[in-house]
Amino acid sequence: VVASVTLRAIEEAGGSEAWESLDEVERSKRTGVVLKDVIQQLGEDAYNALSAPEKADIDLFIRAGCCMHKELNSVKGGNARMMAYWVENRISGPILLMNRDVESAASSHDAQTRQKAMEKSHGGGVKLVELAGAIFRNKDDKKGQQDVWRFYAESVLGMLITFPDTNNTRFGSNCEGSSELIVHRDQYINFLEFVRDKKEKGTFNHMEGNVFRGLQDPPTLAELCILGLYGQAISHPYLRQVRHGGLTNHLDLGPLHHRLITHIKSIIQNPDLLLAPSATPEHGSLDGHAWERPNLLSAVQALRPHLPDLRGPLTAFFTGALETWERFTEEFKPDGLIEKLTENE
């Protein structure tokens, strides 16, 4: 093989004299190119000499996606559908939570400038949770009100509360943050007023004002409720089962993902599995075990009379999540590669 490679490289260089005139680096480069071709041919010859079962073993390659990323993307897919729901149904949706510069542009006398500012702006549950994270648990410990909030919560509720890490975009933190804001909504509103009143000027900064308004905006609160309910019904029980010690590896997760798809469909068909006052984890949670945060369910019920009908946006969210799960569980489809594997494989 070495002789063959060398002769071939010399021939392609133009003969012995041309080869000798090349420097060492160029010779090595040319030899490497030809060697790669020869190795490729040797490999193909060896592969073609194998039996069909041996070829099947060589060809076996399974792609399995990270389950945390599957869940993360399902929330993104659900949230996109929920945000579109308000526009598609011509229902007044969440207020826009603009930053200072965009808000200034939105009040411009120029219609085109105002329009561009509005198009750049976002609102809704996820946006509010992100802003709340910057106030109540900033990733920079020299910013934010995280320490003051924790001591305030201890004085009012008798316990230190650490806000979910949305400012670091942790997995699951948007659903967790939504649950936290709904369960302790009154305390967060009172705390923001406390912070405002302690200032010399007695006013909110721009971000505090956005969060204060968002916590009192019914469509935004509706989105928070739905994000929190998704976390209780899907996110927590799903990851509990993924991380269960009895499972061998990812290849064992097919039945779980089939149950997941079925469960989401059942909630789309019957939102009362989560929205009814009598909703139970036995029917509403993916694994049928206790809610991760039972007081969220009671907090949602207490808020419902003051909110838009939750059925529409909840169905939209779970529909978007379902579409995403179906894309992100391709490896487990009934006629797919994993389903066809033998136990040994």
Side-chain angles (χ1 to χ4, degrees):
V1 171
V2 172
S4 171
V5 168
T6 304
L7 288 172
R8 184 169 159 188
I10 291 171
E11 288 173 4
E12 292 186 358
S16 298
E17 289 185 13
W19 179 260
E20 291 298 329
S21 67
L22 298 174
D23 60 37
E24 196 63 37
V25 174
E26 183 62 22
R27 286 185 200 173
S28 177
K29 180 180 176 182
R30 288 172 175 264
T31 303
V33 170
V34 179
L35 181 59
K36 184 178 179 181
D37 291 342
V38 173
I39 290 172
Q40 180 77 21
Q41 187 58 55
L42 289 171
E44 290 177 6
D45 292 343
Y47 177 80
N48 290 331
L50 296 174
S51 66
E54 288 171 326
K55 286 181 179 179
D57 283 342
I58 295 285
D59 292 340
L60 183 60
F61 182 87
I62 300 165
R63 180 193 177 278
C66 164
C67 290
M68 284 198 298
H69 279 93
K70 292 178 191 295
E71 194 279 329
L72 171 71
N73 281 286
S74 77
V75 175
K76 291 175 67 177
N79 188 58
R81 263 302 189 103
M82 179 171 65
M83 291 173 69
Y85 165 83
W86 309 104
V87 176
E88 292 169 358
N89 291 276
R90 298 182 179 180
I91 300 172
S92 181
I95 58 172
L96 296 177
L97 302 172
M98 304 179 184
N99 64 36
R100 184 181 289 103
D101 292 338
V102 174
E103 189 169 281
S104 175
S107 59
S108 169
H109 295 298
D110 180 67
Q112 189 174 6
T113 301
R114 289 199 306 273
Q115 181 64 27
K116 286 183 178 179
M118 298 293 284
E119 290 172 355
K120 283 183 178 180
S121 302
H122 300 287
V126 168
K127 179 68 173 180
L128 179 62
V129 170
E130 290 173 354
L131 295 176
I135 295 174
F136 303 121
R137 189 179 176 182
N138 198 293
K139 59 187 175 183
D140 183 347
D141 60 9
K142 294 181 175 61
K143 299 178 181 178
Q145 299 283 355
Q146 47 272 5
D147 293 333
V148 182
W149 159 248
R150 280 165 56 79
F151 295 135
Y152 180 89
E154 184 180 36
S155 69
V156 173
L157 298 170
M159 56 182 173
L160 292 166
I161 295 178
T162 300
F163 193 81
D165 205 3
T166 60
N167 205 227
N168 272 317
T169 58
R170 294 274 297 183
F171 285 103
S173 60
N174 282 327
C175 291
E176 282 291 285
S178 297
S179 297
E180 172 60 23
L181 289 175
I182 291 298
V183 170
H184 294 126
R185 171 175 166 269
D186 290 342
Q187 285 74 34
Y188 281 104
I189 291 173
N190 293 339
F191 174 74
L192 288 169
E193 291 176 327
F194 167 79
V195 170
R196 177 197 64 193
D197 294 344
K198 287 290 182 181
K199 294 180 181 179
E200 184 177 345
K201 292 184 178 180
T203 58
F204 291 124
N205 67 29
H206 197 81
M207 187 181 296
E208 291 165 352
N210 270 334
V211 173
F212 185 77
R213 290 185 300 113
L215 286 172
Q216 298 172 84
D217 177 58
T220 302
L221 293 174
E223 291 198 357
L224 292 179
C225 289
I226 292 163
L227 284 158
L229 290 172
Y230 184 82
Q232 298 302 300
I234 304 298
S235 303
H236 284 294
Y238 170 72
L239 290 171
R240 277 200 297 263
Q241 292 177 85
V242 165
R243 295 174 59 83
H244 189 272
L247 295 170
T248 303
N249 58 37
H250 191 94
L251 303 183
D252 298 324
L253 296 178
L256 167 62
H257 287 89
H258 298 327
R259 290 201 315 275
L260 172 70
I261 297 293
T262 300
H263 186 64
I264 293 176
K265 287 179 179 178
S266 70
I267 292 173
I268 292 170
Q269 293 167 0
N270 182 15
D272 278 345
L273 290 173
L274 298 179
L275 294 178
S278 58
T280 64
E282 287 77 17
H283 297 102
S285 175
L286 174 63
D287 62 0
H289 294 166
W291 304 117
E292 182 76 15
R293 192 163 194 174
N295 54 359
L296 171 69
L297 279 292
S298 56
V300 170
Q301 289 302 319
L303 268 175
R304 279 193 74 183
H306 311 288
L307 303 179
D309 183 11
L310 293 181
R311 292 172 182 272
L314 183 138
T315 300
F317 187 102
F318 276 75
T319 299
L322 174 63
E323 293 167 352
T324 309
W325 277 114
E326 288 175 337
R327 288 202 314 276
F328 278 81
T329 55
E330 281 285 313
E331 67 260 45
F332 299 114
K333 60 186 179 183
D335 60 341
L337 185 57
I338 291 178
E339 289 283 336
K340 294 177 181 177
L341 294 177
T342 66
E343 276 302 312
N344 286 336
E345 288 171 329

